[in-house]
Amino acid sequence: SASSSSKWGSNTSNNLRGGNGPVKIGLFKAIFFLLLICTTGMLLTAHSLEHHPEGTFANCCRVSLHTVNCAYRVMFNLYHCRLGELPGIICGGSELEEDEYTEEELERMTLRPGIERALDTEHRKALRKVGVEMNMIKPKNGSGKSNGVQNGARISR
C-alpha cells in the first residue's frame, strides 16, 4: 500500500522533501501566453473569414456563435422566468417577429429626405437596363421595329 501511494503521488513526506512538487508558472508568463494565443486565434479567424467567407472554418465559426447565442438566450430567459419564449428559442422560432411593426407604426414611418428621389433614380436606371437587354434579345419584326421597348423611348413608372 505504501508503494501505491507514492506511485500515485499522494502527499507524503517524500513529496515535501523535494520530490515531484507542483509546477509554478509566473503570472506574467501565463497572461502573456494567453494573450498571444487569443490574438493569434483572432487573426487566423479574421484571415480565414476574409479569404474564404463560405468555407468550412467560417461555417464552424457561425455555428459556434449561434450555439453560444442560443445558450445565452436560454439562460437569460430561464433567469427572468420567461418560460413561454423557450420553445421559440430552442426550436428556431422566427427571429423576424422581433422586427415586425404594427399598422400604426408603418403609417407613421416616413422616408429620410432624398431617399425617395434616389430610389426613383435607381428604379429608372434598372428599367432602362432591362429595356436595353430586351432590345438585344427580341428579334426584329417586319416593320423594322422591335417587339419590346423601342430605342430612345422613355420608360416611365
Side-chain angles (χ1 to χ4, degrees):
S1 174
S3 64
S4 67
S5 65
S6 63
K7 179 180 178 182
W8 296 108
S10 69
N11 194 7
T12 62
S13 61
N14 188 22
N15 283 342
L16 296 176
R17 285 186 268 145
N20 296 333
V23 176
K24 293 184 180 182
I25 299 174
L27 182 62
F28 178 75
K29 289 180 181 179
I31 291 174
F32 176 76
F33 184 70
L34 179 68
L35 289 175
L36 181 70
I37 294 295
C38 289
T39 304
T40 305
M42 285 186 276
L43 290 174
L44 175 67
T45 302
H47 173 77
S48 181
L49 289 176
E50 184 176 314
H51 292 287
H52 306 288
E54 294 301 321
T56 305
F57 190 80
N59 288 334
C60 288
C61 288
R62 285 186 196 98
V63 167
S64 63
L65 286 174
H66 285 294
T67 303
V68 169
N69 185 25
C70 181
Y72 168 76
R73 289 174 31 192
V74 167
M75 291 301 181
F76 181 84
N77 286 313
L78 282 175
Y79 181 76
H80 291 288
C81 295
R82 297 179 186 165
L83 302 179
E85 295 180 18
L86 289 179
I89 293 170
I90 294 171
C91 298
S94 175
E95 294 180 8
L96 298 176
E97 292 174 357
E98 299 171 2
D99 296 335
E100 290 180 359
Y101 298 103
T102 63
E103 290 296 324
E104 182 182 324
E105 290 173 327
L106 288 173
E107 289 175 7
R108 285 186 286 153
M109 290 183 186
T110 58
L111 292 175
R112 293 183 304 180
I115 294 292
E116 189 171 355
R117 188 169 19 120
L119 288 173
D120 287 340
T121 304
E122 291 299 318
H123 182 71
R124 274 187 257 119
K125 285 180 184 177
L127 287 176
R128 221 176 286 126
K129 183 176 180 182
V130 167
V132 168
E133 289 175 358
M134 292 302 290
N135 281 336
M136 292 176 9
I137 293 173
K138 291 197 175 190
K140 303 271 184 186
N141 59 12
S143 64
K145 295 182 181 178
S146 66
N147 292 331
V149 178
Q150 296 179 1
N151 288 336
R154 295 192 98 193
I155 298 172
S156 61
R157 315 192 265 155

